[in-house]
Amino acid sequence: MPEMTVIEAVREALWEEMERDPSVFTLGEDIGARGGVFLATEGFLDKFGPERVVDTPLAEASIGGIALGAAVNGMRPVAEIEFGDFIWPAVNQVIGEAARVRYGTQGRRTAPLVLRVPYGGGVRGGLFHSQSIEVAFSHQPGLKVVAPATPYDAKGLLTTALTCDDPVLFLEHKSLLNVRGDVPEEDFSIPFGQARVC
């Protein structure tokens, strides 16, 4: 069983799903040539091209809106918000719109989108790079919120998120990104809503 970091597990899960499903694409600031602020999409632009690895302007409301529009029209976008502190302009698109699609259409439409968001303190990020945002989102009907702690959890939960028909806020705590752990080589996923009791 190979050992990897949380961010490597995130990268592997996203890469594998993009290879498997052509409707999956990713968008966000600096995710193309730079590979994202934490390098989660490093090498993706060369492999998948600019149609599936979309560098966006610094405009979180637009990132959320584009992801929502693509999701309700048959795509599976994975939007990266560089830091949780900057998600607030996209709140209406995430909570006010995406989280209500299934209910508002009586199940006729879904919004299968994932928002990947590094968040949290403990990394000397200062006032605008250290917020913990999970509570503001975890009480919203229609929105799934996931916060893995280990590489195993990161890969398994992101694999589930990438195939979920509801919007998922996938929170990556910055102080855990370099935590190492074993991750199985075979395909696996971790269902939402089930605790692992040790």
Side-chain angles (χ1 to χ4, degrees):
M1 188 176 306
E3 186 180 81
M4 61 181 65
T5 65
V6 167
I7 200 66
E8 289 168 342
V10 166
R11 183 183 306 123
E12 187 170 279
L14 181 55
W15 184 285
E16 289 175 357
E17 195 59 28
M18 287 182 71
E19 282 189 320
R20 193 174 8 256
D21 184 350
S23 71
V24 177
F25 73 99
T26 187
L27 69 155
E29 300 159 15
D30 298 322
I31 66 161
R34 183 173 177 201
V37 70
F38 295 104
L39 305 179
T41 54
E42 185 177 40
F44 279 52
L45 184 61
D46 292 337
K47 169 69 175 176
F48 300 105
E51 294 80 25
R52 295 186 65 201
V53 182
V54 181
D55 264 320
T56 67
L58 184 98
E60 287 78 7
S62 295
I63 294 168
I66 292 165
L68 173 59
V72 298
N73 285 290
M75 300 297 289
R76 290 189 167 271
V78 182
E80 179 178 316
I81 304 294
E82 275 194 340
F83 294 94
D85 312 61
F86 307 138
I87 198 169
W88 307 116
V91 163
N92 184 54
Q93 290 81 353
V94 176
I95 294 173
E97 301 295 334
R100 299 177 185 191
V101 167
R102 186 187 291 271
Y103 178 78
T105 64
Q106 297 179 348
R108 290 188 300 274
R109 288 282 184 124
T110 59
L113 65 94
V114 176
L115 282 99
R116 290 188 41 254
V117 185
Y119 80 109
V123 294
R124 300 177 188 216
L127 178 62
F128 293 108
H129 294 81
S130 298
Q131 294 178 32
S132 290
I133 63 168
E134 65 277 7
V135 172
F137 291 91
S138 62
H139 299 287
Q140 304 302 322
L143 179 66
K144 301 196 183 306
V145 179
V146 180
T150 67
Y152 177 85
D153 290 341
K155 183 167 185 192
L157 291 168
L158 185 54
T159 298
T160 299
L162 294 167
T163 58
C164 183
D165 284 333
D166 291 310
V168 178
L169 184 63
F170 192 84
L171 299 173
E172 302 162 13
H173 199 289
K174 294 190 296 287
S175 69
L176 299 176
L177 293 178
N178 291 313
V179 167
R180 300 191 72 77
D182 292 334
V183 178
E185 291 186 64
E186 66 273 4
D187 288 344
F188 75 101
S189 61
I190 299 173
F192 292 157
Q194 294 182 16
R196 183 174 32 149
V197 180
C198 299

